[in-house]
CSV table of all heavy atoms in Angstrom, one decimal:
chain,number,residue,atom,x,y,z
A,23,TRP,N,-8.2,1.5,9.8
A,23,TRP,CA,-8.1,1.2,8.4
A,23,TRP,C,-8.9,-0.1,8.0
A,23,TRP,O,-9.1,-1.0,8.8
A,23,TRP,CB,-6.6,0.8,8.1
A,23,TRP,CG,-5.7,2.1,8.0
A,23,TRP,CD1,-5.2,2.8,9.0
A,23,TRP,CD2,-5.5,2.8,6.8
A,23,TRP,NE1,-4.6,3.9,8.5
A,23,TRP,CE2,-4.7,4.0,7.2
A,23,TRP,CE3,-5.8,2.6,5.4
A,23,TRP,CZ2,-4.2,4.9,6.2
A,23,TRP,CZ3,-5.3,3.5,4.5
A,23,TRP,CH2,-4.5,4.7,5.0
A,24,THR,N,-9.5,-0.1,6.8
A,24,THR,CA,-10.2,-1.2,6.3
A,24,THR,C,-9.5,-1.7,5.0
A,24,THR,O,-9.0,-0.8,4.3
A,24,THR,CB,-11.7,-0.8,5.9
A,24,THR,OG1,-12.3,-0.4,7.2
A,24,THR,CG2,-12.4,-2.0,5.3
A,25,PHE,N,-9.5,-3.0,4.9
A,25,PHE,CA,-8.8,-3.6,3.7
A,25,PHE,C,-9.8,-4.5,2.9
A,25,PHE,O,-10.2,-5.5,3.4
A,25,PHE,CB,-7.5,-4.3,4.1
A,25,PHE,CG,-6.6,-3.5,4.9
A,25,PHE,CD1,-6.6,-3.5,6.3
A,25,PHE,CD2,-5.7,-2.7,4.2
A,25,PHE,CE1,-5.8,-2.7,7.0
A,25,PHE,CE2,-4.8,-1.9,5.0
A,25,PHE,CZ,-4.9,-1.8,6.3
A,26,GLU,N,-10.1,-4.0,1.8
A,26,GLU,CA,-10.9,-4.9,0.8
A,26,GLU,C,-10.1,-5.7,0.0
A,26,GLU,O,-9.1,-5.2,-0.6
A,26,GLU,CB,-11.7,-3.9,-0.1
A,26,GLU,CG,-12.8,-3.0,0.6
A,26,GLU,CD,-13.4,-2.1,-0.4
A,26,GLU,OE1,-13.1,-2.2,-1.6
A,26,GLU,OE2,-14.2,-1.3,0.1
A,27,GLU,N,-10.5,-7.0,-0.2
A,27,GLU,CA,-9.7,-7.9,-1.0
A,27,GLU,C,-10.7,-8.5,-2.0
A,27,GLU,O,-11.8,-8.9,-1.6
A,27,GLU,CB,-9.1,-9.0,-0.2
A,27,GLU,CG,-8.0,-8.5,0.7
A,27,GLU,CD,-7.2,-9.6,1.4
A,27,GLU,OE1,-6.2,-10.1,0.8
A,27,GLU,OE2,-7.6,-10.0,2.5
A,28,THR,N,-10.3,-8.6,-3.2
A,28,THR,CA,-11.1,-9.2,-4.3
A,28,THR,C,-10.1,-10.0,-5.3
A,28,THR,O,-9.0,-9.7,-5.5
A,28,THR,CB,-11.8,-8.1,-5.2
A,28,THR,OG1,-12.5,-7.2,-4.4
A,28,THR,CG2,-12.7,-8.8,-6.2
A,29,ARG,N,-10.7,-11.2,-5.6
A,29,ARG,CA,-10.0,-12.0,-6.7
A,29,ARG,C,-10.7,-11.6,-8.0
A,29,ARG,O,-12.0,-11.9,-8.1
A,29,ARG,CB,-10.2,-13.4,-6.5
A,29,ARG,CG,-9.0,-14.1,-5.7
A,29,ARG,CD,-9.3,-15.6,-5.7
A,29,ARG,NE,-8.3,-16.6,-5.7
A,29,ARG,CZ,-7.0,-16.6,-5.9
A,29,ARG,NH1,-6.4,-15.6,-6.1
A,29,ARG,NH2,-6.3,-17.6,-5.9
A,30,LEU,N,-10.1,-11.0,-9.0
A,30,LEU,CA,-10.8,-10.7,-10.2
A,30,LEU,C,-10.9,-12.1,-11.1
A,30,LEU,O,-11.8,-12.2,-11.8
A,30,LEU,CB,-10.0,-9.7,-11.0
A,30,LEU,CG,-10.0,-8.3,-10.6
A,30,LEU,CD1,-9.3,-7.3,-11.6
A,30,LEU,CD2,-11.4,-7.8,-10.3
A,31,ASP,N,-9.9,-13.0,-10.9
A,31,ASP,CA,-9.9,-14.3,-11.6
A,31,ASP,C,-9.0,-15.2,-10.8
A,31,ASP,O,-8.6,-14.8,-9.8
A,31,ASP,CB,-9.6,-14.1,-13.1
A,31,ASP,CG,-8.3,-13.5,-13.4
A,31,ASP,OD1,-7.4,-13.5,-12.5
A,31,ASP,OD2,-8.0,-13.0,-14.5
A,32,ASP,N,-8.6,-16.3,-11.4
A,32,ASP,CA,-7.8,-17.3,-10.7
A,32,ASP,C,-6.3,-16.7,-10.4
A,32,ASP,O,-5.6,-17.2,-9.5
A,32,ASP,CB,-7.6,-18.5,-11.5
A,32,ASP,CG,-8.8,-19.4,-11.5
A,32,ASP,OD1,-9.5,-19.4,-10.4
A,32,ASP,OD2,-9.1,-20.1,-12.4
A,33,HIS,N,-5.9,-15.7,-11.1
A,33,HIS,CA,-4.5,-15.2,-11.0
A,33,HIS,C,-4.4,-13.8,-10.5
A,33,HIS,O,-3.2,-13.4,-10.1
A,33,HIS,CB,-3.9,-15.2,-12.4
A,33,HIS,CG,-3.6,-16.6,-13.0
A,33,HIS,ND1,-4.6,-17.4,-13.5
A,33,HIS,CD2,-2.5,-17.3,-13.0
A,33,HIS,CE1,-4.1,-18.6,-13.8
A,33,HIS,NE2,-2.8,-18.5,-13.6
A,34,HIS,N,-5.4,-13.0,-10.3
A,34,HIS,CA,-5.3,-11.6,-10.0
A,34,HIS,C,-5.9,-11.3,-8.6
A,34,HIS,O,-7.2,-11.5,-8.5
A,34,HIS,CB,-5.9,-10.7,-11.0
A,34,HIS,CG,-5.2,-10.7,-12.3
A,34,HIS,ND1,-5.2,-11.7,-13.3
A,34,HIS,CD2,-4.2,-9.9,-12.9
A,34,HIS,CE1,-4.5,-11.4,-14.3
A,34,HIS,NE2,-3.8,-10.3,-14.0
A,35,HIS,N,-5.1,-10.8,-7.7
A,35,HIS,CA,-5.6,-10.2,-6.4
A,35,HIS,C,-5.7,-8.7,-6.5
A,35,HIS,O,-4.7,-8.1,-7.0
A,35,HIS,CB,-4.6,-10.5,-5.2
A,35,HIS,CG,-4.7,-12.0,-4.8
A,35,HIS,ND1,-5.6,-12.5,-4.0
A,35,HIS,CD2,-3.8,-13.0,-5.0
A,35,HIS,CE1,-5.4,-13.8,-3.8
A,35,HIS,NE2,-4.3,-14.1,-4.3
A,36,VAL,N,-6.7,-8.1,-6.0
A,36,VAL,CA,-6.8,-6.7,-5.8
A,36,VAL,C,-7.0,-6.4,-4.3
A,36,VAL,O,-7.9,-7.0,-3.7
A,36,VAL,CB,-8.0,-6.1,-6.6
A,36,VAL,CG1,-7.8,-4.6,-6.6
A,36,VAL,CG2,-7.9,-6.5,-8.1
A,37,ALA,N,-6.2,-5.4,-3.8
A,37,ALA,CA,-6.4,-5.0,-2.5
A,37,ALA,C,-6.7,-3.4,-2.5
A,37,ALA,O,-6.0,-2.8,-3.3
A,37,ALA,CB,-5.1,-5.2,-1.7
A,38,VAL,N,-7.6,-3.0,-1.6
A,38,VAL,CA,-8.0,-1.6,-1.6
A,38,VAL,C,-7.8,-1.2,0.0
A,38,VAL,O,-8.5,-1.8,0.8
A,38,VAL,CB,-9.4,-1.3,-2.0
A,38,VAL,CG1,-9.7,0.2,-1.8
A,38,VAL,CG2,-9.6,-1.7,-3.4
A,39,SER,N,-6.9,-0.3,0.2
A,39,SER,CA,-6.8,0.2,1.6
A,39,SER,C,-7.5,1.5,1.8
A,39,SER,O,-7.4,2.5,1.0
A,39,SER,CB,-5.3,0.5,1.9
A,39,SER,OG,-4.6,-0.7,1.9
A,40,LEU,N,-8.3,1.6,2.8
A,40,LEU,CA,-9.2,2.7,3.1
A,40,LEU,C,-9.0,3.2,4.5
A,40,LEU,O,-9.0,2.4,5.5
A,40,LEU,CB,-10.6,2.3,3.0
A,40,LEU,CG,-11.1,1.8,1.6
A,40,LEU,CD1,-12.5,1.2,1.7
A,40,LEU,CD2,-11.0,2.9,0.6
A,41,GLY,N,-8.5,4.5,4.7
A,41,GLY,CA,-8.2,5.1,6.0
A,41,GLY,C,-8.8,6.4,6.1
A,41,GLY,O,-9.0,7.1,5.1
A,42,LYS,N,-8.9,6.9,7.4
A,42,LYS,CA,-9.4,8.2,7.7
A,42,LYS,C,-8.5,9.3,7.1
A,42,LYS,O,-7.2,9.2,7.3
A,42,LYS,CB,-9.5,8.3,9.2
A,42,LYS,CG,-10.1,9.7,9.6
A,42,LYS,CD,-10.2,9.8,11.1
A,42,LYS,CE,-10.6,11.2,11.6
A,42,LYS,NZ,-10.6,11.3,13.1
A,43,GLN,N,-9.1,10.3,6.5
A,43,GLN,CA,-8.3,11.3,5.9
A,43,GLN,C,-8.0,12.4,6.9
A,43,GLN,O,-8.8,12.8,7.7
A,43,GLN,CB,-9.0,12.0,4.7
A,43,GLN,CG,-8.2,13.0,3.9
A,43,GLN,CD,-8.9,13.3,2.6
A,43,GLN,OE1,-10.1,12.9,2.4
A,43,GLN,NE2,-8.2,14.1,1.8
A,44,GLU,N,-6.7,12.8,6.9
A,44,GLU,CA,-6.3,13.8,7.9
A,44,GLU,C,-7.1,15.1,7.7
A,44,GLU,O,-7.3,15.6,6.5
A,44,GLU,CB,-4.8,14.2,7.8
A,44,GLU,CG,-4.0,13.0,8.3
A,44,GLU,CD,-2.5,13.4,8.2
A,44,GLU,OE1,-2.2,14.6,8.1
A,44,GLU,OE2,-1.7,12.4,8.2
A,45,GLY,N,-7.6,15.7,8.8
A,45,GLY,CA,-8.4,16.9,8.7
A,45,GLY,C,-9.8,16.7,8.4
A,45,GLY,O,-10.7,17.6,8.3
A,46,CYS,N,-10.3,15.4,8.2
A,46,CYS,CA,-11.6,15.1,7.9
A,46,CYS,C,-12.3,14.7,9.3
A,46,CYS,O,-11.9,13.8,10.0
A,46,CYS,CB,-11.8,13.9,6.9
A,46,CYS,SG,-13.4,13.6,6.4
A,47,GLY,N,-13.2,15.4,9.7
A,47,GLY,CA,-13.9,15.3,11.0
A,47,GLY,C,-14.6,14.1,11.2
A,47,GLY,O,-14.8,13.5,12.2
A,48,GLN,N,-15.1,13.4,10.1
A,48,GLN,CA,-15.9,12.2,10.3
A,48,GLN,C,-15.1,11.1,10.6
A,48,GLN,O,-14.0,10.9,10.2
A,48,GLN,CB,-16.6,11.9,8.9
A,48,GLN,CG,-18.0,11.9,8.9
A,48,GLN,CD,-18.6,11.8,7.5
A,48,GLN,OE1,-17.9,12.0,6.5
A,48,GLN,NE2,-19.9,11.6,7.5
A,49,LYS,N,-15.6,10.2,11.5
A,49,LYS,CA,-14.9,9.0,11.8
A,49,LYS,C,-15.1,8.1,10.7
A,49,LYS,O,-16.0,8.0,10.0
A,49,LYS,CB,-15.6,8.3,13.1
A,49,LYS,CG,-15.3,9.1,14.4
A,49,LYS,CD,-15.9,8.4,15.6
A,49,LYS,CE,-15.5,9.1,16.9
A,49,LYS,NZ,-16.1,8.5,18.0
A,50,HIS,N,-14.1,7.1,10.6
A,50,HIS,CA,-14.0,6.1,9.5
A,50,HIS,C,-15.3,5.3,9.6
A,50,HIS,O,-15.9,5.1,8.5
A,50,HIS,CB,-12.8,5.3,9.7
A,50,HIS,CG,-12.6,4.3,8.5
A,50,HIS,ND1,-11.4,3.5,8.4
A,50,HIS,CD2,-13.4,4.0,7.5
A,50,HIS,CE1,-11.6,2.8,7.3
A,50,HIS,NE2,-12.8,3.0,6.7
A,51,SER,N,-15.7,4.9,10.7
A,51,SER,CA,-16.9,4.0,10.8
A,51,SER,C,-18.2,4.7,10.3
A,51,SER,O,-19.0,4.1,9.7
A,51,SER,CB,-17.1,3.5,12.3
A,51,SER,OG,-17.2,4.7,13.2
A,52,ASP,N,-18.2,6.1,10.6
A,52,ASP,CA,-19.4,6.8,10.1
A,52,ASP,C,-19.4,6.9,8.5
A,52,ASP,O,-20.4,6.8,8.0
A,52,ASP,CB,-19.3,8.3,10.6
A,52,ASP,CG,-19.4,8.3,12.2
A,52,ASP,OD1,-19.9,7.3,12.7
A,52,ASP,OD2,-19.0,9.3,12.8
A,53,VAL,N,-18.2,7.1,8.0
A,53,VAL,CA,-18.1,7.2,6.5
A,53,VAL,C,-18.4,5.8,5.9
A,53,VAL,O,-19.3,5.7,5.0
A,53,VAL,CB,-16.7,7.5,6.1
A,53,VAL,CG1,-16.6,7.6,4.6
A,53,VAL,CG2,-16.4,9.0,6.6
A,54,CYS,N,-17.9,4.8,6.5
A,54,CYS,CA,-18.2,3.4,5.9
A,54,CYS,C,-19.7,3.1,6.0
A,54,CYS,O,-20.2,2.4,5.2
A,54,CYS,CB,-17.4,2.3,6.8
A,54,CYS,SG,-15.7,2.3,6.4
A,55,SER,N,-20.4,3.6,7.0
A,55,SER,CA,-21.8,3.2,7.2
A,55,SER,C,-22.6,3.8,6.1
A,55,SER,O,-23.7,3.3,5.8
A,55,SER,CB,-22.3,3.7,8.5
A,55,SER,OG,-22.3,5.1,8.6
A,56,MET,N,-22.1,4.8,5.4
A,56,MET,CA,-22.9,5.5,4.3
A,56,MET,C,-22.5,4.8,2.9
A,56,MET,O,-23.2,5.1,2.0
A,56,MET,CB,-22.5,7.0,4.2
A,56,MET,CG,-22.8,7.8,5.5
A,56,MET,SD,-22.6,9.5,5.2
A,56,MET,CE,-21.0,9.6,4.6
A,57,GLU,N,-21.6,4.0,2.9
A,57,GLU,CA,-21.2,3.4,1.6
A,57,GLU,C,-21.9,2.1,1.3
A,57,GLU,O,-22.4,1.5,2.3
A,57,GLU,CB,-19.6,3.1,1.7
A,57,GLU,CG,-18.8,4.3,1.8
A,57,GLU,CD,-17.4,4.0,2.3
A,57,GLU,OE1,-17.1,2.9,2.3
A,57,GLU,OE2,-16.6,4.9,2.5
A,58,PRO,N,-21.9,1.7,0.1
A,58,PRO,CA,-22.4,0.4,-0.3
A,58,PRO,C,-21.6,-0.6,0.5
A,58,PRO,O,-20.3,-0.4,0.7
A,58,PRO,CB,-22.1,0.3,-1.8
A,58,PRO,CG,-22.1,1.6,-2.3
A,58,PRO,CD,-21.5,2.5,-1.2
A,59,ASN,N,-22.2,-1.7,1.0
A,59,ASN,CA,-21.5,-2.6,1.9
A,59,ASN,C,-20.4,-3.3,1.3
A,59,ASN,O,-19.3,-3.5,1.9
A,59,ASN,CB,-22.5,-3.6,2.5
A,59,ASN,CG,-22.1,-4.2,3.8
A,59,ASN,OD1,-21.3,-3.6,4.5
A,59,ASN,ND2,-22.5,-5.4,4.2
A,60,GLN,N,-20.5,-3.8,0.1
A,60,GLN,CA,-19.5,-4.6,-0.6
A,60,GLN,C,-19.3,-4.0,-2.0
A,60,GLN,O,-19.9,-4.6,-3.0
A,60,GLN,CB,-19.9,-6.0,-0.6
A,60,GLN,CG,-20.1,-6.7,0.7
A,60,GLN,CD,-18.9,-6.8,1.5
A,60,GLN,OE1,-17.7,-6.6,1.1
A,60,GLN,NE2,-19.0,-7.3,2.8
A,61,PRO,N,-18.6,-2.9,-2.2
A,61,PRO,CA,-18.4,-2.3,-3.6
A,61,PRO,C,-17.5,-3.3,-4.4
A,61,PRO,O,-16.4,-3.5,-4.3
A,61,PRO,CB,-17.7,-1.0,-3.4
A,61,PRO,CG,-17.1,-1.2,-2.0
A,61,PRO,CD,-17.8,-2.1,-1.3
A,62,GLN,N,-18.2,-3.9,-5.4
A,62,GLN,CA,-17.5,-4.9,-6.3
A,62,GLN,C,-16.9,-4.2,-7.5
A,62,GLN,O,-17.3,-3.1,-7.9
A,62,GLN,CB,-18.5,-5.9,-6.8
A,62,GLN,CG,-19.0,-6.8,-5.7
A,62,GLN,CD,-19.8,-7.9,-6.3
A,62,GLN,OE1,-20.8,-7.7,-7.0
A,62,GLN,NE2,-19.5,-9.2,-5.9
A,63,PHE,N,-15.9,-4.8,-8.1
A,63,PHE,CA,-15.2,-4.2,-9.2
A,63,PHE,C,-16.1,-4.5,-10.5
A,63,PHE,O,-16.5,-5.5,-10.7
A,63,PHE,CB,-13.8,-4.8,-9.6
A,63,PHE,CG,-12.7,-4.1,-8.7
A,63,PHE,CD1,-12.5,-4.4,-7.3
A,63,PHE,CD2,-12.1,-3.1,-9.3
A,63,PHE,CE1,-11.5,-3.8,-6.6
A,63,PHE,CE2,-11.1,-2.4,-8.5
A,63,PHE,CZ,-10.8,-2.7,-7.2
A,64,THR,N,-16.3,-3.4,-11.2
A,64,THR,CA,-17.1,-3.4,-12.5
A,64,THR,C,-16.1,-3.5,-13.6
A,64,THR,O,-15.2,-2.7,-13.8
A,64,THR,CB,-18.0,-2.2,-12.7
A,64,THR,OG1,-18.9,-2.1,-11.6
A,64,THR,CG2,-18.7,-2.3,-14.0
A,65,LEU,N,-16.3,-4.6,-14.4
A,65,LEU,CA,-15.4,-4.7,-15.6
A,65,LEU,C,-15.8,-3.9,-16.8
A,65,LEU,O,-16.9,-4.0,-17.2
A,65,LEU,CB,-15.4,-6.2,-16.1
A,65,LEU,CG,-14.1,-6.7,-16.8
A,65,LEU,CD1,-12.9,-6.6,-16.0
A,65,LEU,CD2,-14.4,-8.2,-17.2
A,66,LEU,N,-14.9,-3.0,-17.2
A,66,LEU,CA,-15.3,-2.0,-18.3
A,66,LEU,C,-14.8,-2.5,-19.6
A,66,LEU,O,-13.8,-3.1,-19.8
A,66,LEU,CB,-14.7,-0.7,-18.0
A,66,LEU,CG,-15.0,0.0,-16.6
A,66,LEU,CD1,-14.3,1.4,-16.5
A,66,LEU,CD2,-16.5,0.2,-16.5
A,67,THR,N,-15.6,-2.1,-20.7
A,67,THR,CA,-15.1,-2.2,-22.1
A,67,THR,C,-14.4,-0.9,-22.5
A,67,THR,O,-14.5,0.0,-21.8
A,67,THR,CB,-16.3,-2.5,-23.0
A,67,THR,OG1,-17.1,-1.3,-23.0
A,67,THR,CG2,-17.1,-3.7,-22.6
A,68,PHE,N,-13.8,-1.0,-23.7
A,68,PHE,CA,-13.1,0.2,-24.2
A,68,PHE,C,-14.2,1.3,-24.4
A,68,PHE,O,-14.0,2.5,-24.1
A,68,PHE,CB,-12.4,-0.1,-25.5
A,68,PHE,CG,-11.7,1.2,-26.1
A,68,PHE,CD1,-10.6,1.7,-25.5
A,68,PHE,CD2,-12.3,1.8,-27.2
A,68,PHE,CE1,-10.1,2.9,-26.0
A,68,PHE,CE2,-11.8,3.0,-27.7
A,68,PHE,CZ,-10.6,3.5,-27.1
A,69,GLU,N,-15.4,0.9,-24.9
A,69,GLU,CA,-16.5,1.8,-25.1
A,69,GLU,C,-16.9,2.5,-23.8
A,69,GLU,O,-17.2,3.8,-23.8
A,69,GLU,CB,-17.7,1.2,-25.8
A,69,GLU,CG,-17.4,0.7,-27.3
A,69,GLU,CD,-16.5,-0.4,-27.4
A,69,GLU,OE1,-16.3,-1.3,-26.4
A,69,GLU,OE2,-15.9,-0.6,-28.5
């Protein structure tokens, strides 16, 4: 399991838990290696 942590501002913590999916042959480390290293939260507008 990998745990990403981000502070959006002074008051908000975000945690993302990432784990191997059952039945998925790929190892977690293999999947992680294909992803962006540090996926940051993008702030969206209503538009």
Side-chain angles (χ1 to χ4, degrees):
W23 284 85
T24 298
F25 302 95
E26 295 176 2
E27 294 187 89
T28 307
R29 262 184 151 353
L30 290 185
D31 57 25
D32 282 331
H33 290 76
H34 291 82
H35 284 286
V36 185
V38 180
S39 292
L40 301 170
K42 181 181 174 184
Q43 189 167 5
E44 289 182 18
C46 187
Q48 241 172 347
K49 290 183 179 178
H50 185 172
S51 57
D52 295 339
V53 177
C54 286
S55 67
M56 299 189 305
E57 297 164 5
N59 202 25
Q60 303 287 356
Q62 293 182 309
F63 275 86
T64 301
L65 204 59
L66 304 181
T67 65
F68 179 74
E69 289 71 26

